[in-house]
Amino acid sequence: MESTQAQLENKTIEIEEKSSGLWIEAWKRLIKNKTAMFGLGIISLLILAAILSPFLAPYNPIETNILQRLKAPSGVHLLGTDDLGRDILSRIIYGSRISLQVGIISVSLALVLGVGSGVIAGYYGGKIDTLIMRLMDIMLAFPSILLAIGIMAILGPQLSNAMIAIGIVNLPRFARIIRSSVLSVKEEEYIEAAKSLGANDFTIIMKHVLPNCLAPLIVQSTLSIATAILEAAGLSFLGLGAQPPTPEWGAMLSAGRASLQIAPWVVAFPGIAIMITVLGFNLFGDGLRDALDPKMKD
C-alpha cells in the first residue's frame, strides 16, 4: 500500500511539473503572438476605462442638456451629443463598466453551472450523462438570442436578468467542453490509482480532474465574454436589457435610431465601441487557443 501511495505521489508531482512547464511554454508562445497581444491591449484599455471612468469622462453620463442636443463632434463634445444633450464620449466610457460587468458575471455563471453539470455527466456517465447532455442539446437547438429573449420574457427586462439569461444561454458550451475533457482525463492511470487508495470522488475531481481541464475552459471563457457583451447589447437594443438612462452601448444604439439620418454619430460611436471590444476579446481568445494547444510549436 505504501509503495502504491508513493508511486501515486511521484506521479502527481511529475504531472504538476509537466503542467507547469506547459503553462510557461504557452505563455512564451502567447507573448510572441502579435495579434493576441493587440487584443490584450484592447482589453487592457477597456479595463482601464472602466476603472478610471469617473476621471476620464468629461461630463456626467446621465445629465441631460436639451440646449446641446444632437451636437456634432467638436472640441466641446469630442464625439457629439445625443437627442437629450448627453455627452456620447462620457456615456461610452461609463458603458465600458457595464459591458465588463455583464461579460464577467454572465460568463462566471455559465462557467460554474456548465462545469458542474459537465463534470457530473463526464465523470459518472450512464443515465446521468444522457439526461444532462440531452438537455444541453435541447438548449443548443435554439438560436442563442431567441433563447435569451424567452428567458427575459419570464424574468423581466432588467440588466441583472439579462446577465442571468446570457449565463444560461452560454451554459451548454461549457458543459460540453468540460465533459469531453473529463472523459479523457478520468481514464488516466493516476485517477485509477487515486481510486484504489480510497480517495473519494470529490477529491479526485477537484485535485486531479479539473486542474487538467483548465486550458479549454480558459479559452472558452475569454471567447464567451465577447459573445456575452454582444448578446447583452442585442438585448438592450430590443429594450430587454439595461433600461434608460443607463449608459449601455446597446441601449445607446436603440435610442439613437430615430436620429440616425440627421445625427449618425449617435449610433456610429457606440457601435464602434462594441465592435472594438468584441474584436479584442476574440483576438486574445484565438491567441490563447493557439498558445495552449500542445500541437502548436514555434
Side-chain angles (χ1 to χ4, degrees):
M1 178 68 68
E2 293 181 358
S3 176
T4 305
Q5 187 172 0
Q7 291 177 2
L8 177 59
E9 292 177 354
N10 292 333
K11 183 68 175 178
T12 302
I13 293 173
E14 180 183 344
I15 293 171
E16 290 177 351
E17 292 177 350
K18 183 179 179 180
S19 177
S20 176
L22 291 175
W23 283 106
I24 294 174
E25 291 179 7
W27 171 249
K28 291 180 179 179
R29 286 196 294 268
L30 181 64
I31 61 178
K32 291 180 181 179
N33 189 327
K34 295 182 180 179
T35 303
M37 289 296 99
F38 178 72
L40 181 59
I42 293 176
I43 296 172
S44 300
L45 289 176
L46 179 69
I47 294 173
L48 285 175
I51 295 174
L52 302 176
S53 52
F55 306 99
L56 295 177
Y59 298 92
N60 187 323
I62 61 175
E63 184 178 351
T64 61
N65 185 351
I66 299 301
L67 296 178
Q68 294 292 320
R69 67 187 304 269
L70 299 178
K71 292 292 184 180
S74 63
V76 179
H77 298 282
L78 295 180
L79 301 184
T81 61
D82 63 9
D83 58 334
L84 295 178
R86 296 171 297 194
D87 183 67
I88 293 177
L89 175 60
S90 300
R91 290 178 63 77
I92 288 177
I93 291 174
Y94 272 88
S96 63
R97 282 184 166 186
I98 298 174
S99 293
L100 279 178
Q101 181 183 1
V102 169
I104 293 173
I105 293 177
S106 60
V107 170
S108 297
L109 177 63
L111 182 64
V112 171
L113 297 179
V115 168
S117 57
V119 166
I120 293 173
Y123 188 80
Y124 293 103
K127 293 182 179 180
I128 296 178
D129 181 24
T130 302
L131 177 62
I132 292 176
M133 297 318 297
R134 293 300 75 77
L135 177 61
M136 298 303 158
D137 290 340
I138 292 172
M139 294 176 65
L140 287 172
F142 291 92
S144 58
I145 190 64
L146 290 182
L147 182 58
I149 291 173
I151 297 172
M152 291 299 296
I154 298 173
L155 299 179
Q158 193 174 343
L159 183 60
S160 58
N161 292 338
M163 296 179 194
I164 296 174
I166 294 169
I168 294 174
V169 166
N170 286 282
L171 186 159
R173 297 184 179 90
F174 287 96
R176 292 174 69 90
I177 288 174
I178 192 66
R179 174 184 176 271
S180 62
S181 298
V182 170
L183 287 174
S184 175
V185 171
K186 76 173 186 178
E187 301 299 330
E188 297 290 339
E189 294 180 358
Y190 59 89
I191 300 295
E192 295 297 327
K195 290 181 179 179
S196 67
L197 291 173
N200 58 45
D201 292 341
F202 181 79
T203 300
I204 293 173
I205 290 172
M206 298 303 296
K207 188 174 181 180
H208 301 293
V209 176
L210 283 180
N212 290 287
C213 303
L214 287 179
L217 287 178
I218 292 174
V219 174
Q220 184 61 37
S221 296
T222 305
L223 294 173
S224 292
I225 290 177
T227 303
I229 292 173
L230 200 56
E231 290 172 345
L235 290 174
S236 295
F237 182 83
L238 296 173
L240 298 174
Q243 300 299 304
T246 305
E248 199 277 335
W249 296 337
M252 292 172 65
L253 284 175
S254 180
R257 286 181 298 172
S259 308
L260 179 60
Q261 293 185 345
I262 60 175
W265 58 85
V266 177
V267 172
F269 292 120
I272 291 173
I274 295 173
M275 180 192 70
I276 292 176
T277 300
V278 173
L279 176 65
F281 278 102
N282 281 334
L283 291 178
F284 185 62
D286 287 340
L288 272 178
R289 181 174 55 198
D290 294 341
L292 293 173
D293 187 349
K295 296 180 183 178
M296 296 292 295
K297 300 294 182 182
D298 294 336

